[in-house]
Amino acid sequence: MIKIIGKKITLREIVKSDAQSIARYAADEEISKYTLIPYPYSIQDAFDFLELIAEEKKQKSSLHLGLDYKNHVVGMIGLNIINHQHKRAELGYWLGKDFWQMKLMSEAIRLFTYFCFEHEKLERIYAYVNPDNISSWKILESCGFEREGLLTKHFRKNDKQYDCYIYGLTKETFNK
C-alpha cells in the first residue's frame, strides 16, 4: 500500500469509501474544463474510475493516488500510459476548487515525481496542459518541469480538438 506523507497532504491509494469525496470534488465544471473528467460527474463515475484504475494497476499501466487533506480525498495525481521499456509516463492531476491557492498540488507533484523517479524507476515524466490553464503550467514550472512545445490539435473532448503544451521532467533535471 503506497502512502507518501508530506507537510500538508498525504498521497495514498484510494479505496471504495473515497468515491463520495472524489465525486464531490470532481463534479465541478471548472475541473472538467481543463481535464478529461466528464461534466456532470456522478458517484457512479467515481466508482467506475476506481474499477478502471484498479485494473490498470494490476496491468502496471497506470498508478493513481488520492490527495488526502485532513482525512478527505480532495484531488488525484497519477501516471497514465506508463511505458516501462522507455521508463517514462504521463502525469495527470486535478484538485477540488475549494483547495486551489493552497499550494497543495505543488507539494503533491514534488512528492509524487520524487516517488516515481526513485521507486518506480522512471527516467522521464511528462504532462499535457491546455494553454489556457495558466495555473497548471505555472505549477509544473515551479516544480522543475520545462515546456517542450505546443502540440496542435492533440486531444479531442466533446467533439472539439484542443492544442496543449507538453511539459517534461527527467530524473537528472529533478535531482539538481
Side-chain angles (χ1 to χ4, degrees):
M1 186 70 112
I2 299 170
K3 190 172 190 178
I4 306 166
I5 300 171
K7 292 179 181 176
K8 295 180 184 178
I9 59 160
T10 297
L11 301 179
R12 64 171 176 81
E13 292 183 49
I14 52 178
V15 294
K16 284 187 179 183
S17 61
D18 293 320
Q20 190 69 41
S21 185
I22 291 168
R24 174 182 175 196
Y25 293 112
D28 187 301
E29 196 167 10
E30 285 193 64
I31 302 291
S32 177
K33 182 177 178 181
Y34 295 121
T35 67
L36 296 177
I37 295 173
Y39 181 81
Y41 192 85
S42 68
I43 187 72
Q44 186 58 53
D45 291 322
F47 281 122
D48 293 345
F49 176 70
L50 291 173
E51 285 182 30
L52 174 69
I53 65 172
E55 184 58 37
E56 289 179 349
K57 183 182 175 194
K58 287 179 194 173
Q59 298 171 5
K60 298 184 179 187
S61 63
S62 77
L63 172 66
H64 297 273
L65 301 177
L67 275 77
D68 188 311
Y69 179 72
K70 298 185 178 180
N71 298 315
H72 295 284
V73 172
V74 300
M76 298 284 302
I77 190 164
L79 296 177
N80 304 304
I81 315 168
I82 299 172
N83 185 314
H84 297 283
Q85 178 184 356
H86 297 289
K87 299 181 185 248
R88 67 176 183 241
E90 174 192 351
L91 177 69
Y93 51 86
W94 64 267
L95 181 65
K97 190 175 176 182
D98 295 347
F99 304 94
W100 294 359
Q101 309 304 320
M102 294 176 64
K103 301 199 183 287
L104 300 181
M105 190 52 72
S106 297
E107 181 178 349
I109 290 171
R110 285 186 183 97
L111 289 169
F112 192 65
T113 52
Y114 176 80
F115 175 84
C116 293
F117 287 137
E118 295 303 314
H119 299 282
E120 296 297 312
K121 305 300 182 202
L122 295 178
E123 297 290 330
R124 174 178 163 75
I125 299 172
Y126 59 94
Y128 300 119
V129 183
N130 184 309
D132 295 334
N133 193 351
I134 297 166
S135 295
S136 187
W137 52 262
K138 283 188 174 185
I139 288 170
L140 287 171
E141 289 174 358
S142 76
C143 293
F145 282 76
E146 293 183 16
R147 186 183 303 171
E148 298 175 336
L150 176 70
L151 303 173
T152 307
K153 297 188 183 297
H154 189 69
F155 70 95
R156 177 178 286 284
K157 182 176 179 182
N158 300 328
D159 293 324
K160 186 176 176 189
Q161 290 289 136
Y162 291 90
D163 297 344
C164 64
Y165 289 136
I166 183 166
Y167 277 83
L169 181 67
T170 63
K171 185 174 182 179
E172 292 79 22
T173 306
F174 182 77
N175 286 333
K176 287 185 179 178

